[in-house]
Amino acid sequence: MGTGRLYTAVAVGGFRRYATYRTATAAGVFTNTVFGLILAYVFMALWDEKPHLGGYDQAQALTYVWLSQALLMAMATMGGGFEDELIERIRTGDIAIDLYRPADLQLWWLSQDAGRAMFHLLGRGAVPLAFGALFFELALPADPLTWIAFLIAVALGTVVSFSLRYLVALSAFWLLDGAGVAQMSMIAGVFCSGMLLPLNVFPGALGEVVRALPWSSLVQGPADVLLGTADPLGTYVFQASWALGLLALGRLIQSVATRRVVVQGG
Amino acid sequence: MIAGMWIRSTMAYRASFVMTTFGNFAATALDFVAVLLMFSRVDRIGGYSLPEVAFLYGVSATSFGITDLVVGSMDRLGRRVRDGTLDTLLVRPVPVLAQVAADRFALRRLGRVTQGLLVLAYAIAVLDIDWTPLRLLMVPLMLLCGAAIFAAVFVAGGAFQFIAQDASEVQNSFTYGGTTLLQYPPTVFAKDLVRGVTFVLPLAFVNWLPGLYVLGRPYPLDLPTWIAFTPPLIAAGCCALAGIAWRAGLRSYRSTGS
């Protein structure tokens, strides 16, 4: 089996695995829609008070709300993808078996996570966005090219998200219990990705800082490409640089960990 | 006793306990950070000032925190129904509801209560309220009745999981979604939504209706003044209904047999 086909198969496996839980997906769609609804009203009140807050008009702000709900699971901004499983494998020592497999550990999990992200984009993203478009005045582009540009930004964003969570999981080699780090990473993810509030609404220097951090690739970046408020190429370069840098760091830490750390339970 | 067992088990890893309690505090504080960020750019939201929103937020977050501390493990019930481990609870001589509530009882959830109380204390300190005995009494009453109403929602959600085993997330939209909704003033939301959380799922009685009395603000939907004093009745009613739903759910339980 060629390596390309192997990782495609892993990605398809990841997609199917999440597609199994249909009731849970429906329940999740319902929850995303309810939260989207609450946030939409809060944002309307905000933009009524100050039109063009953060450079968005009200329709753009509402689009942002529904986009962020649609991307929540695909981007795993609150965690909850492969990392829990990887942490568990590191803790129990099963990781030793993975390391003997003729597949690259990082690429394996990346493919699996790509499948997961793809499922969540379709399964949990499309419906809340459609609901938002039906009941609110959104600023969705009619141009298919903008949508394609948006999807590329989403794809790059999922890689950045993966590389961040891979680092979180690797910390378990030293800490064994990944709960604390996972929680800190969840807080950073929600705060710095733009899930909480669009990053261009953050005041002053704080806004500049959060926009320069990798998390802005998860929600703010793709949203701005779709809303036409950011240059797609610039966004891609930003996302790709973070993705490559963090993936390389992950590789480095992984090699240190596997060489120096005694595997549990062997 | 079961709760005590879980406390002892978490206390075995003290550093981890401190970290997760702080993490819980920080994670729930993000909601209020969002409110603060909003107020860094605007003076009012839905006509309410920052201390007023903080008051509504503090009551909602504290009462939800109390509920979460006591029955917050309810969303694990779906998993227990799925994998059949609920059977172990059925054979013990303790009410199943008490056992499910104490399942994985986590003292770290104190982080949420602390955060809510801090915001509430800030709001009360800054707000210029004309304190009458009635208004003063209303604050603890709100927290207790609010917690009872949220608890009823949690228990009803638990009962629902006997039927829809995989749908614990639906419950999240009413519990976590409910507390998020109540953190903002009712003037922000569409009339129909406010009607829904007043007459259908009576979340408005947690903090909006009694809270607006304390703040001296007009009620939504032109409701009469005495409605501010009804939360104890509403809370009792909700708990009774949730209890009936729970019994019905428990009776319909079929073990997986595994």
Side-chain angles (χ1 to χ4, degrees), chain A residues 125-172:
Chain A
V127 177
L129 189 61
F131 179 90
L134 207 60
F135 291 96
F136 292 87
E137 193 112 351
L138 301 192
L140 291 172
D143 177 19
L145 279 178
T146 317
W147 282 98
I148 293 169
F150 164 71
L151 288 177
I152 296 172
V154 170
L156 283 168
T158 56
V159 180
V160 176
S161 162
F162 166 81
S163 53
L164 284 166
R165 285 175 292 131
Y166 196 69
L167 292 176
V168 170
L170 287 181
S171 75

Side-chain angles (χ1 to χ4, degrees), chain A residues 20-28 30-31 34-35 37-39 41-43 45-46 49-50 53-54 73 124 177 179-181 183-184 186-187 190-191 196-197 200-204 206, chain B residues 16 19-24 26-27 30-31 33-34 37-47 164-174 176-178 180-181 184 188-190 193:
Chain A
T20 323
Y21 303 103
R22 290 205 200 111
T23 340
T25 304
F30 182 78
T31 310
V34 168
F35 272 91
L37 205 60
I38 296 170
L39 281 177
Y41 283 112
V42 173
F43 276 40
L46 271 179
E49 191 70 29
K50 203 168 214 166
L53 178 62
M73 286 304 282
R124 290 200 46 179
D177 177 32
V181 182
Q183 195 164 34
M184 291 303 142
M186 187 267 264
I187 292 170
V190 173
F191 188 76
L196 200 60
L197 209 60
N200 40 13
V201 174
F202 282 41
L206 182 63
Chain B
S16 185
M19 238 165 95
T20 46
T21 310
F22 174 75
N24 233 273
L30 276 184
D31 285 339
V33 172
L37 283 172
M38 289 173 190
F39 275 101
S40 78
R41 305 300 299 270
V42 298
D43 295 330
R44 271 162 199 282
I45 293 177
Q165 314 174 353
D166 229 1
S168 66
E169 269 221 72
V170 169
Q171 190 178 350
N172 289 351
S173 29
F174 295 111
Y176 291 91
T180 310
L181 176 89
Y184 296 96
V188 164
F189 300 100
L193 192 60

Side-chain angles (χ1 to χ4, degrees), chain A residues 162-250:
Chain A
F162 166 81
S163 53
L164 284 166
R165 285 175 292 131
Y166 196 69
L167 292 176
V168 170
L170 287 181
S171 75
F173 270 117
W174 285 271
L175 300 172
L176 293 181
D177 177 32
V181 182
Q183 195 164 34
M184 291 303 142
S185 131
M186 187 267 264
I187 292 170
V190 173
F191 188 76
C192 305
S193 67
M195 259 323 284
L196 200 60
L197 209 60
L199 299 181
N200 40 13
V201 174
F202 282 41
L206 182 63
E208 313 246 323
V209 172
V210 285
R211 252 170 302 173
L213 295 175
W215 288 278
S216 72
S217 309
L218 308 191
V219 179
Q220 187 71 47
D224 274 336
V225 170
L226 190 75
L227 292 170
T229 45
D231 164 44
L233 283 180
T235 309
Y236 299 161
V237 171
F238 176 82
Q239 290 176 307
S241 338
W242 271 119
L244 290 176
L246 291 167
L247 285 174
L249 183 64

Side-chain angles (χ1 to χ4, degrees), chain A residues 72-150:
Chain A
L72 172 70
M73 286 304 282
M75 292 297 173
T77 28
M78 302 175 80
F82 72 96
E83 66 272 27
D84 300 334
E85 200 181 334
L86 181 53
I87 288 172
E88 190 58 19
R89 290 189 79 80
I90 293 172
R91 199 180 63 78
T92 55
D94 287 344
I95 190 78
I97 303 164
D98 300 344
L99 289 170
Y100 276 118
R101 287 207 179 111
D104 183 76
L105 193 67
Q106 197 184 30
L107 266 179
W108 173 283
W109 288 108
L110 176 61
S111 323
Q112 209 245 34
D113 199 55
R116 181 203 59 83
M118 183 71 99
F119 171 73
H120 277 144
L121 191 66
L122 295 171
R124 290 200 46 179
V127 177
L129 189 61
F131 179 90
L134 207 60
F135 291 96
F136 292 87
E137 193 112 351
L138 301 192
L140 291 172
D143 177 19
L145 279 178
T146 317
W147 282 98
I148 293 169
F150 164 71

